[in-house]
Amino acid sequence: MILRILVYLLIFSYGWVVVARTNPTDLTALRSLKTQWKNTPPNWRIKHDPCDQKWEGIFCNKSRVIKIILPGTNLAGPLPKDISLLSELQTLDLSNNRGLTGPLPSNIGNLKNLVDLSVLVACNFSGPIPESIGSLTKLIHLFLNSNKFNGSIPHSIGNLANLVWLDLSDNQLEGHLPVSNSTTTGLDMLLKAKHFHLGQNKFSGAISPKLFSSNMDLMHFILNENQLNGSIPDTLGLVRTLEVIRLDKNFFSGSVPRNLSKLTGVTELYLANNYLSGAIPDFTGMNLQYLDLSNNSFDPTTIPLWFQTLPNLTTIMMEKTRLEGHVPVALFSLPQLQTLLLRNNQLNGTVEISANISSSLHLIDLRNNFIDGFSSSVDSKDLIMIDDNPLCRKPEATQICNTVQPSNISIFPDCASVGCFVDSKLPSDCKRLYLGYLIFRTFSFSNLENNSNYLFLRNDLQPFLVSHGVPLKRVCLVSSTMDINGYLVLSISFFPHGDTYFNRTGISTIGNVLNNQIFNSPYGPYFFRDMSYNSFPAAEGSKSIGFIIGVTMCSFMLVVLTTTAGVYAYRQRKIAQRAAKSNNPFSSWNEGEVPQVKGARWFSFEDVKRCTNNFSHESEIGVGGYGKVYKGKLESGDLVAIKRAQLGSLQGALEFKTEIELLSRVHHKNVVNLVGFCYDKGEQMLIYEYVPNGSLREALSGKSGIQLNWTKRLKIALGAARGLAYLHELADPPIIHRDIKSDNILLGERLNAKVADFGLSTLLSDDGAQFTTQVKGTLGYLDPEYYMTQILTEKSDVYSFGVVMLELVTGRFPLEKNKYIVRLVREELKETGNVFSLVDPAMHSESDILSGTEEFVKLAMRCLEDIGDDRPSMSEVVKEIEKMIEAINLNFDVESITTSASYGGVRDSGYPYSSNNNVSFDIIGSGPVVR
Ligand SMILES: *[C@@H]1O[C@H](CO)[C@@H](O)[C@H](O)[C@H]1NC(C)=O
Ligand SMILES: *[C@@H]1O[C@H](CO)[C@@H](O)[C@H](O)[C@H]1NC(C)=O
């Protein structure tokens, strides 16, 4: 008995003395997290008490865990059931942890004190949203966006009477939007909710009129990209608090309810891409800033005059809305107007631009109408697009017709040229950076180039984060894009102080502050996706996992499509300037004493002249961005291909030296071998082995007379993959190719693939860190992740290789008549589950084709994942292709296959610089080059 009391006393006093010792139940829960998750913070030691010794990311009130805040810390694993033991938990923020998978445990409803639940943004949770979510009645924020949740929204959600934010966007949710009836609850009961963000799901059916009432507090109603049909309920007009309505990309039909114009608080209205009909309503009296009515079936009408009553309009999008008659002059004088999109209508008459034109105007797109006259009293050439109008048939109109597609990405050299983004800086600086995207589903402006729109980043966000304890030196905008969803995507880099790295707390704080909207942006709500930060101080006893870049973003594919070359020109000029400045390290070079260049011979200008027959026209085999390519014959009798840089595209001597040092170290049968170089008499030439059967592109297009059956294509893919895997993983130092495309895969004697053209290559640093550098590459092959962030990894090559794989299957160009092969295949797969209809007609007669292609396309699609982290490595690709070849019982030794008999008239074109229309950007060239 006494002993018992003693024991009680002991336990009791222990509890008393160490006040902050974690409650045993909470401790069980946390230990369960620790064992189930990978990459937990290093100070999560079982021996240490979480509350008392402050496990990183765990916040306690006395002995109870009240917050778990660990966004962006690379956690991986499932959310264990035991999480429900944390009965005092108020905040659970696990955003931006791509490794978190599996369902939300069904007992999550036990977390009765939960106020903020954010498991959003590129976590990979799946399964249905548990019915028990309805028990979390204290919940204010529910962020489940950008996961893989499926099933329907549980009716129980209607019990969350305190909910202010509901974000379920970008999942695979389906079914009706639930509303209450006599037996169940529904979304209509969420009277405190200000935000319904439900876009990018598969919701279907009609929206019940019961969803809306005048009691609601709703500000943002966002439903873009679903499969909703029926008419837009006129009860929507009852919700006077609304500010943003996005219903675009659905199947809504019928007319737009007239009473929408009573919603005087609405600033952004998106109704585009539906089947809306009837008259376009009169929006007089609204406070609209951004209006998108494009692609609907409205009654034909002239441009409404009520536009003139909306002085704050910045953006009018009325593409393909059956507008007719002339364009009123006054439209251009709306004081805030930035973008006016009226293309694909039946507008006629003369377009007049008066001196009264708004100074904010950025773009007037009138393409494809019936306009036959144009007059302007100001210089408006740079802001008007008027191609495909009768006007353009007049010779005097060539001045204003033939415009280039405007860019939908703005890159800010100011940031891009700071610190990490300069070539010469050490990659370790880059590793210290944290990158991410602020994504706005709606925003009120459309001129992406106007810097004033982003001042809040430096003036507000930066000090705000610092005040929350983030050791931040600088917030910097890398690029601003409108993505294919019409979202504004700001690519941001966060620089830590001094020479430090961010720790988990710093990263988590940034994620938490942003994703929980603790920071208010001037454009309303946003969300934040990051690129995983892999430079945390390593855990004791575990080696640093190296630098793996993972961008957590989706669907930026088409960014690449619609971009002009303009942004590059600036960069290329800079390269040229830098190059011009460098010293000449060759000045003392003589034949025989070339440092560090093994295996590559030095040629004098005379040597080269001789072997190309004085650079004769006959020996010319191609022309590239930086000059011509000649075929030559050495004294030994060996054939070579000589890349001769033309004036104006010479590299700095240092760059040239670096390049040949790099190239001379590369030896692999699937990589074009550098034989030598010439740096003499002001000339720069690279001399390669001659590859006789031209490029893969030429073979695919039938130009070179080579027939490629499926097995040959598989072998070419394998060879090229091996070459690339060698460059990434075995070359010393490793090399990122940067411009993988079918033009750069050459075919040898026995159609063995050889990867060519390292003019754009970048060395990897010793520890495998990525380089940030100028975006280079070829449209159609460019990795969107690289494009947005300006950060290059070997996964960018993997992406381009995926495009080549699709070329091999389909025989198509990556970009054909504005159709992007990746998108085409993706849509076809989604619709029919296969790509049979896209298979190259040249292979139609083959019987073995169907078995092999399916896996091949699947592999290609993995290479084409938006997120670099999700793509396989090249050596994985090699293994997969080897398996496919084994499976169809081929002898996969490429070298042993003799196919030369079937070649037929092979054209003498050993180098890939002649045959396509792709725009390419060369390091040696002085700007974008149309080949
Ligand atoms: C322009 O179109 C309107 C409406 O279709 C038509 O009434 C008018 O005659 C046309 N004007 C000219 C100059 O073609
Ligand atoms: C840029 O935006 C600011 C603020 O919105 C505006 O005052 C300014 O006129 C804009 N500049 C241009 C060139 O449109």
Side-chain angles (χ1 to χ4, degrees), residues 324-325 348-349:
E324 57 183 31
N348 65 12

Side-chain angles (χ1 to χ4, degrees), residues 302 323-326 346-350 370 372:
T302 52
L323 293 174
E324 57 183 31
H326 75 293
Q346 287 93 48
L347 296 166
N348 65 12
T350 293
F370 299 130
D372 57 9

Side-chain angles (χ1 to χ4, degrees), residues 733-915:
I735 294 168
I736 300 176
H737 187 292
R738 294 174 105 182
D739 199 17
I740 283 292
K741 53 181 173 181
S742 53
D743 297 280
N744 279 341
I745 294 170
L746 305 189
L747 302 178
E749 197 104 27
R750 295 157 194 272
L751 293 193
N752 49 320
K754 283 178 182 278
V755 176
D757 203 353
F758 299 89
L760 307 173
S761 304
T762 297
L763 287 87
L764 281 173
S765 63
D766 291 345
D767 55 358
Q770 90 298 354
F771 253 150
T772 58
T773 178
Q774 300 86 0
V775 169
K776 299 185 197 78
T778 303
L779 290 187
Y781 294 91
L782 259 184
D783 167 16
E785 180 180 289
Y786 170 34
Y787 197 83
M788 301 284 300
T789 61
Q790 312 274 296
I791 289 195
L792 182 70
T793 71
E794 67 272 33
K795 291 295 176 71
S796 303
D797 282 349
V798 176
Y799 184 92
S800 310
F801 188 77
V803 178
V804 172
M805 288 175 77
L806 294 187
E807 283 183 85
L808 279 165
V809 174
T810 64
R812 296 177 189 230
F813 283 98
L815 271 176
E816 223 170 58
K817 298 191 200 92
N818 269 336
K819 283 195 179 140
Y820 187 34
I821 196 173
V822 177
R823 188 175 203 194
L824 210 63
V825 170
R826 205 173 265 176
E827 280 170 0
E828 188 66 24
L829 282 174
K830 205 169 163 186
E831 231 157 77
T832 67
N834 63 59
V835 293
F836 299 155
S837 63
L838 296 175
V839 164
D840 190 348
M843 294 193 293
H844 273 171
S845 58
E846 292 177 53
S847 54
D848 61 347
I849 172 90
L850 303 181
S851 60
T853 42
E854 231 164 311
E855 265 100 48
F856 193 77
V857 170
K858 255 188 223 155
L859 180 61
M861 295 323 277
R862 281 178 62 207
C863 295
L864 293 164
E865 287 284 350
D866 290 347
I867 297 154
D869 250 358
D870 291 350
R871 300 174 201 152
S873 68
M874 277 320 295
S875 55
E876 264 177 83
V877 173
V878 168
K879 276 194 208 114
E880 294 288 324
I881 301 177
E882 281 172 356
K883 263 193 250 162
M884 290 173 210
I885 290 179
E886 271 164 35
I888 54 176
N889 256 333
L890 284 170
N891 174 355
F892 74 79
D893 184 357
V894 178
E895 306 286 346
S896 75
I897 309 279
T898 308
T899 39
S900 45
S902 61
Y903 291 174
V906 173
R907 205 166 55 83
D908 194 11
S909 59
Y911 258 78
Y913 302 110
S914 42
S915 59

Side-chain angles (χ1 to χ4, degrees), residues 196-344:
F196 283 170
H197 294 198
L198 307 172
Q200 291 179 279
N201 279 292
K202 296 191 277 190
F203 295 121
S204 57
I207 301 183
S208 163
K210 198 154 185 266
L211 180 55
F212 307 106
S213 68
S214 53
N215 300 331
M216 286 187 121
D217 249 352
L218 203 59
M219 291 163 61
H220 284 203
F221 186 59
I222 301 185
L223 269 181
N224 59 306
E225 238 182 286
N226 278 291
Q227 296 156 19
L228 293 156
N229 57 25
S231 52
I232 300 172
D234 62 359
T235 50
L236 185 60
L238 299 173
V239 190
R240 296 298 168 85
T241 44
L242 276 168
E243 293 176 4
V244 169
I245 302 173
R246 270 200 84 157
L247 302 176
D248 49 308
K249 292 197 187 154
N250 277 288
F251 305 134
F252 291 116
S253 55
S255 50
V256 180
R258 285 176 171 275
N259 64 356
L260 278 198
S261 58
K262 297 207 183 112
L263 298 175
T264 48
V266 169
T267 53
E268 288 142 57
L269 177 62
Y270 297 70
L271 300 174
N273 296 297
N274 280 294
Y275 300 107
L276 297 168
S277 57
I280 294 176
D282 182 340
F283 291 127
T284 305
M286 290 179 82
N287 186 27
L288 288 173
Q289 297 179 8
Y290 199 111
L291 176 65
D292 191 350
L293 299 172
S294 301
N295 295 311
N296 278 295
S297 322
F298 295 121
D299 296 341
T301 175
T302 52
I303 293 180
L305 292 173
W306 47 256
F307 276 132
Q308 287 160 46
T309 69
L310 305 177
N312 294 322
L313 268 174
T314 67
T315 310
I316 302 174
M317 309 268 209
M318 292 182 79
E319 173 177 358
K320 216 172 173 195
T321 38
R322 304 171 76 185
L323 293 174
E324 57 183 31
H326 75 293
V327 186
V329 178
L331 198 54
F332 304 122
S333 318
L334 281 168
Q336 303 295 329
L337 194 65
Q338 298 170 12
T339 303
L340 181 59
L341 190 73
L342 299 173
R343 68 174 175 234
N344 303 328

